[in-house]
Amino acid sequence: MRIGLLTGGGDVPGLNAVIRAVVKHGLGTHGHTIVGFRNGWRGVADGAVVQVGRQDIRNVLPVGGTLLGTDRYHPHRHEGGLEAVLATLEAERIDAVICVGGDGTLHAASIVAEAGVRMVGIPKTIDNDVEGTDLSVGFHTAVNIATEAIDRLHTTAESHNRVMVVEVMGRNAGWIAVNAGIAGGAEIVLAPEEPFDIDQVVRFLTHRHRAHASFSIVVVAEGAVPREGSGMTFEPQRGPNGEIVAGSASEQVAREIESRTGFETRVTILGHVQRGGSPTPTDRILGSRFGVAAVDALEEGRSSVMTALRGGEIVLVPFAEMAGKVKRVPPDLLRAARVLA
Ligand code: F6P
């Protein structure tokens, strides 16, 4: 078989483990040819191909990013994009494609699959919001990085008697915020799933600082918003494609906290640091398992499915079950973050 392989959307640590597993299992075990596409779906549309062999995957497990490159290009959103993708796949005699991506890239994969291409998806996103899988590649590393940052902010917050507002990624779901918030012992976690009441936040901080502490850590997901009718309103600042701009939520929350409490407040926006550097063993293992499972799925003649982790096991989820959905943080996890404040 000639298997096309691409990584699309925001990069995450652990993508090279996926690529390595696909090459080792696809080429090594089965003798298939692995045809890599540069920079996600853009490379497929442009015909930017590169054969990926054993020498390319040497020592890549600890390396962050993706050796194939990535991009947020979605062929169906560009005139002639889908046709260009299909033409490249035909010209390269691709029998099947393994597409590694978050919701946007996998949605594009499902559209290409509908046009008759055999396709297996692998979920990756530090946001962990791909529906149908307990974990996506990259999330575990991001939570580690955010937790370490919160640990470090604790000591400087305490030394200076400050409120530290830490913004983590997550425009649609607060998985990093809630998990790193719990692991790092944050006082308050604001996630998109639960619009916040600034009066409550201010009351809580005032009481805490009066009673027993002179510092606090407030974790804010990029997509956190105030509850309608509560004491604060803001429209998140948006970029050219309607995406929430980093820093928009945390800056506004910090301003409000400082002006209402009088506590000196600082903002740290972790940003792309959360996506950089070496993956944790958990992400290396997950990426490796997904890569092996994707090749196995093609061997079994499966298509239009995504590899997924459910209860510790790798399963295949039909695209139809996850497409267009966002996996949100469940109430019990949100509650744990709340009661541990
Ligand atoms: O890929 C997901 C993500 O990391 C989000 O958490 C974040 O909001 C966004 O990407 C940032 O996008 P960009 O890399 O295009 O700035």
Side-chain angles (χ1 to χ4, degrees):
M1 241 189 302
R2 284 175 64 80
I3 301 175
L5 176 64
L6 67 117
T7 55
D11 73 327
V12 302
L15 285 173
N16 289 327
V18 177
I19 295 169
R20 175 178 175 272
V22 169
V23 172
K24 280 205 145 207
H25 195 38
L27 171 69
T29 313
H30 297 290
H32 300 313
T33 301
I34 310 301
V35 180
F37 291 102
R38 291 243 177 255
N39 305 329
W41 285 112
R42 184 180 291 283
V44 191
D46 293 348
V49 298
V50 50
Q51 203 149 313
V52 197
R54 285 174 208 274
Q55 67 287 354
D56 302 302
I57 54 160
R58 234 168 252 146
N59 298 327
V60 294
L61 280 173
V63 182
T66 161
L67 57 89
L68 287 175
T70 189
D71 197 286
R72 292 195 189 279
Y73 174 91
H74 300 314
H76 55 282
R77 296 215 189 119
H78 298 263
E79 212 185 316
L82 196 52
E83 291 74 15
V85 160
L86 297 175
T88 300
L89 295 179
E90 198 182 331
E92 292 298 326
R93 293 174 289 110
I94 301 295
D95 300 297
V97 174
I98 295 177
C99 171
V100 193
D103 51 351
T105 304
L106 293 175
H107 179 58
S110 72
I111 290 172
V112 175
E114 277 165 21
V117 177
R118 279 183 66 198
M119 182 83 58
V120 173
I122 295 181
K124 67 83 227 173
T125 165
I126 65 162
D127 296 347
N128 201 36
D129 59 356
V130 172
E131 177 68 23
T133 181
D134 295 346
L135 281 181
S136 291
V137 179
F139 169 65
H140 189 265
T141 306
V143 171
N144 263 24
I145 295 168
T147 302
E148 196 202 326
I150 295 170
D151 288 346
R152 288 176 184 278
L153 287 168
H154 254 115
T155 58
T156 173
E158 193 161 9
S159 304
H160 282 268
N161 304 314
R162 282 174 173 161
V163 175
M164 289 293 193
V165 174
V166 193
E167 184 176 291
V168 297
M169 282 185 169
R171 289 170 176 157
N172 303 310
W175 289 96
I176 300 178
V178 168
N179 281 279
I182 292 173
E187 276 62 54
I188 291 174
V189 176
L190 306 181
E193 286 85 350
E194 232 174 24
F196 62 88
D197 180 339
I198 195 70
D199 295 333
Q200 260 174 26
V201 171
V202 164
R203 258 199 313 275
F204 175 88
L205 293 175
T206 309
H207 174 75
R208 172 180 151 85
H209 287 223
R210 255 195 223 128
H212 61 92
S214 58
F215 74 96
S216 292
I217 304 282
V218 179
V219 176
V220 179
E222 281 176 329
V225 283
R227 190 189 301 156
E228 231 174 274
S230 65
M232 179 183 183
T233 47
F234 70 74
E235 267 303 306
Q237 209 184 321
R238 293 188 184 272
N241 300 316
E243 74 282 9
I244 293 173
V245 170
S248 160
S250 55
E251 296 285 359
Q252 301 189 65
V253 166
R255 253 199 313 276
E256 207 69 17
I257 289 174
E258 189 165 67
S259 70
R260 292 202 196 188
T261 62
F263 303 147
E264 202 178 6
T265 304
R266 292 287 188 273
V267 177
T268 302
I269 300 163
L270 292 184
H272 295 84
V273 166
Q274 295 160 94
R275 292 208 321 233
S278 191
T280 59
T282 297
D283 274 327
R284 299 181 200 190
I285 295 163
L286 185 65
S288 301
R289 291 177 78 190
F290 279 166
V292 169
V295 172
D296 285 345
L298 291 178
E299 284 297 314
E300 290 160 14
R302 302 291 301 271
S303 182
S304 293
V305 289
M306 177 188 82
T307 63
L309 184 77
R310 286 194 183 165
E313 295 204 351
I314 305 288
V315 297
L316 297 175
V317 178
F319 281 164
E321 274 180 32
M322 44 76 62
K325 296 183 186 157
V326 175
K327 186 184 71 171
R328 298 197 193 270
V329 179
D332 70 295
L333 194 47
L334 291 166
R335 182 167 177 277
R338 215 183 311 121
V339 302
L340 289 173

